[in-house]
Amino acid sequence: DIDPVTLTAIFESFQSAGDRPLSADARIKVNSEVTVLDLQENQTCTLNIVPPQEGNPEKGVISFLSPLGAALINKSSGDTISIPVLGSRMRYRILKFVTNEMLSR
């Protein structure tokens, strides 16, 4: 189950992707491995963005429907995202990412 606000944010991120002058390979998508910098803790972590049934947050494998996963979709290296967490906002900078398409070249 996904709440309407998160679902709306996901759809808006897909819509706004058309406004960006980046190629499809230059954007994060499902099955991407993403390294982010937590701007509050100044620590990096690597996440894998996957379909909901494959998610395992304890192992850094997150669904594209989760708040963090949805915020990362269609973003690129250097972008900063902000997500609500327990009444505050968490901010992350995307350091790098690799998609399955990039790996198969």
Side-chain angles (χ1 to χ4, degrees), residues 2 6 10 49-50 52 57 61-72 83:
I2 186 165
T6 301
I10 292 169
I49 313 297
V50 298
V61 180
I62 61 171
S63 165
F64 73 91
L65 295 178
S66 70
L68 181 54
L72 289 168
I83 59 168

Side-chain angles (χ1 to χ4, degrees), residues 75-103:
K75 299 295 188 283
S76 189
S77 296
D79 288 350
T80 299
I81 60 168
S82 176
I83 59 168
V85 177
L86 302 172
S88 66
R89 297 203 71 78
M90 299 293 293
R91 294 185 39 199
Y92 300 90
R93 177 162 301 121
I94 301 165
L95 300 177
K96 64 181 179 176
F97 72 95
V98 179
T99 64
N100 277 350
E101 290 83 11
M102 291 173 168
L103 292 173

Side-chain angles (χ1 to χ4, degrees), residues 1-104:
D1 293 321
I2 186 165
D3 67 273
V5 173
T6 301
L7 190 57
T8 299
I10 292 169
F11 286 132
E12 286 175 353
S13 82
F14 283 118
Q15 279 183 317
S16 67
D19 299 336
R20 296 180 64 144
L22 298 172
S23 72
D25 286 345
R27 289 187 226 136
I28 297 169
K29 54 188 124 193
V30 177
N31 295 320
S32 294
E33 181 180 275
V34 184
T35 302
V36 297
L37 172 65
D38 179 331
L39 295 173
Q40 291 71 227
E41 302 293 326
N42 201 32
Q43 295 181 351
T44 61
C45 67
T46 300
L47 306 165
N48 289 292
I49 313 297
V50 298
Q53 66 274 17
E54 297 177 24
N56 187 344
E58 295 81 27
K59 293 185 177 183
V61 180
I62 61 171
S63 165
F64 73 91
L65 295 178
S66 70
L68 181 54
L72 289 168
I73 292 292
N74 286 318
K75 299 295 188 283
S76 189
S77 296
D79 288 350
T80 299
I81 60 168
S82 176
I83 59 168
V85 177
L86 302 172
S88 66
R89 297 203 71 78
M90 299 293 293
R91 294 185 39 199
Y92 300 90
R93 177 162 301 121
I94 301 165
L95 300 177
K96 64 181 179 176
F97 72 95
V98 179
T99 64
N100 277 350
E101 290 83 11
M102 291 173 168
L103 292 173
S104 63

